[in-house]
Amino acid sequence: MDHALVQDPHAEIRQEVAKLCAHFPGEYWRKLDQVRGYPTEFVHALTEAGYLAALIPEEYGGAGLPLSAAAAILETVHSEGCNGAACHAQMYIMGTILRHGSPAQKTTYLPKIATGELRLQAFGVTEPTSGTDTTSLRTFARKEGDKYIVNGQKVWTSRAEHSDLMLLLARTKSREEAKSRTDGLSTFIVDMRTVLGKGLTIRPIRTMMNHNSCELFFDNMEVPAENLVGEEGRGFRYILDGMNAERLLIAAESIGDAKWFIRKATDYAKERKVFGRPIGQNQGIAFPIARAYAQMRAAELMVREGCHKFEAGLTPGEEANTAKLLAADASWAAAEACIQTHGGFGFAEEYDVERKFRETRLYQVAPISTNLILSYLAEHVLGLPRSY
């Protein structure tokens, strides 16, 4: 199976990332899964190789690569059986800071993020009461002199325990005072090292996959006013840049998962013999794998389209959402086909299928559910009446 582009500009990156991933086989991830551990060695290796600084401009010590290169990196990580969830936020959060951060913020943080001295892995947006209804969040940041006092709560903030910095979205104006649904929300860079235990409490959430998800509580947490990103009240617009990048990169990860499942299922279907013939000879096995492959290829094209638009400085809302929807569906279809092909062995830890099965299931729900994507496309692309 060879579906590489004739002229893939990131072919060399893919090859080098694959070599790095070879040092972190399934056994490495299975051991972490058993103890709910963080893949520190893997993240360190990606940092040392410069991959987590892919989107940071060269003037700040990064590689200065486009979003499509970051997509190639994360896709390869997943297609090689690894998992980028422990560090992918550092890439997509860059969209907000690079486009809207002040020169001082970029100079202060980006060089240290590029070297790995600082980790920017936490994205504080979702709340227990609002979920994906971001404009209804309640966490409030009240300005007092040269600082903001933050009170509220966040949930599903992954990697908070393993991050130094967090990009936080909070209300700076009440909904009653806001001119629109998106007005009055502001974005902040929070140095969690200075506020942990001093206004910030982190509680891990145990989930079906080892994703290091957490619940955060803010109790009069102080954030310097200089850590406000851009203008006060325009934070929702700023994080959209991060969200579009996030959806494209998560889509790339899902495509990587799909490729892993398809390769795993195809290899097993060729080797496994029942009733004197390879099970891949049976259409009941072959067709689901083939259909998942077709779905993956379609999603792959949409990710490429979305990255091109993002790199042109445009807002790829339609493309990013569509790519996320198609890629999540493709990876889930491939996962279903893979576990069905393996039969009972698909549930055995040593095959890694069940681990990847759990991991890829997440993307039907996060970072945005497929139903919300369909609502977005219906309203903003097709012009249908708003459903919520």
Side-chain angles (χ1 to χ4, degrees):
M1 179 177 62
D2 182 10
H3 50 69
L5 298 177
V6 175
Q7 292 182 326
D8 181 359
H10 308 306
E12 186 175 345
I13 289 177
R14 294 178 192 273
Q15 292 171 4
E16 294 304 313
V17 173
K19 290 179 184 178
L20 184 152
C21 289
H23 296 288
F24 300 91
E27 183 181 6
Y28 171 80
W29 298 97
R30 290 194 295 273
K31 287 181 178 179
L32 288 174
D33 226 24
Q34 291 169 4
V35 298
R36 314 301 262 186
Y38 184 77
T40 301
E41 301 84 1
F42 180 67
V43 174
H44 180 71
L46 286 176
T47 302
E48 285 291 301
Y51 294 125
L52 294 189
L55 299 179
I56 297 177
E58 292 183 41
E59 62 185 291
Y60 299 111
L65 296 174
L67 187 67
S68 55
I73 291 168
L74 291 176
E75 179 195 307
T76 305
V77 165
H78 282 249
S79 69
E80 293 299 315
C82 300
N83 193 306
C87 49
H88 59 194
Q90 187 154 307
M91 290 187 174
Y92 60 71
I93 292 176
M94 285 295 117
T96 299
I97 296 179
L98 291 175
R99 291 191 177 190
H100 307 290
S102 68
Q105 289 171 345
K106 294 177 184 178
T107 301
T108 299
Y109 297 113
L110 294 183
K112 293 181 180 180
I113 293 173
T115 62
E117 184 178 342
L118 288 178
R119 282 183 182 168
L120 173 60
Q121 295 292 350
F123 198 24
V125 177
T126 306
E127 298 187 0
T129 57
S130 57
T132 50
D133 183 8
T134 304
T135 58
S136 295
L137 63 81
R138 299 178 181 179
T139 296
F140 201 92
R142 183 183 72 258
K143 190 171 185 183
E144 290 188 1
D146 60 353
K147 61 188 176 184
Y148 285 86
I149 308 299
V150 182
N151 285 282
Q153 182 181 356
K154 298 291 180 182
V155 70
W156 307 122
T157 304
S158 298
R159 302 161 300 275
E161 292 182 293
H162 305 281
S163 182
D164 300 307
L165 306 175
M166 171 175 59
L167 195 65
L168 174 69
L169 185 67
R171 211 164 253 300
T172 47
K173 184 185 295 184
S174 68
R175 290 196 67 177
E176 292 71 28
E177 297 175 311
K179 299 176 182 178
S180 66
R181 287 166 57 96
T182 60
D183 181 42
L185 297 171
S186 300
T187 306
F188 301 88
I189 298 173
V190 178
D191 187 336
M192 295 194 292
R193 300 170 302 171
T194 65
V195 293
L196 185 60
K198 302 176 183 178
L200 170 64
T201 301
I202 301 176
R203 291 183 186 172
I205 303 173
R206 190 174 178 87
T207 63
M208 68 183 287
M209 76 289 294
N210 182 25
H211 210 263
N212 305 110
S213 293
C214 299
E215 199 170 13
L216 308 184
F217 299 88
F218 311 115
D219 184 13
N220 291 323
M221 182 181 75
E222 297 184 3
V223 179
E226 63 195 39
N227 285 25
L228 172 71
V229 177
E231 298 178 30
E232 185 178 294
R234 295 177 60 84
F236 183 80
R237 296 171 180 83
Y238 299 157
I239 67 165
L240 284 181
D241 284 330
M243 286 182 171
N244 284 325
E246 175 188 50
R247 286 165 197 179
L248 287 167
L249 293 179
I250 293 296
E253 290 186 356
S254 294
I255 289 169
D257 280 344
K259 289 182 177 180
W260 186 89
F261 283 120
I262 291 167
R263 184 173 66 249
K264 190 87 169 176
T266 300
D267 290 345
Y268 189 78
K270 291 176 182 177
E271 299 169 0
R272 175 68 167 164
K273 292 184 179 180
V274 178
F275 301 116
R277 56 192 272 167
I279 61 174
Q281 191 173 341
N282 302 314
Q283 293 178 348
I285 294 293
F287 282 9
I289 301 173
R291 183 176 292 276
Y293 172 79
Q295 290 177 268
M296 178 274 292
R297 291 291 281 138
E300 195 174 34
L301 293 173
M302 187 52 70
V303 169
R304 192 197 314 170
E305 182 71 16
C307 286
H308 286 170
K309 196 168 183 179
F310 186 92
E311 291 164 6
L314 303 174
T315 302
E318 177 183 346
E319 293 78 8
N321 279 281
T322 303
K324 166 63 172 57
L325 174 72
L326 294 178
D329 284 350
S331 66
W332 185 236
E336 288 275 10
C338 187
I339 204 165
Q340 197 69 18
T341 298
H342 282 76
F345 290 112
F347 297 87
E349 288 185 355
E350 65 181 288
Y351 282 77
D352 290 311
V353 176
E354 63 85 28
R355 171 177 62 85
K356 295 286 284 184
F357 186 87
R358 287 183 283 111
E359 291 172 356
T360 208
R361 179 60 179 85
L362 173 67
Y363 296 132
Q364 289 289 324
V365 175
I368 184 172
S369 76
T370 51
N371 286 339
L372 262 294
I373 290 178
L374 292 171
S375 292
Y376 173 89
L377 294 175
E379 178 187 353
H380 296 285
V381 178
L382 301 179
L384 293 172
R386 186 183 181 91
S387 64
Y388 58 90

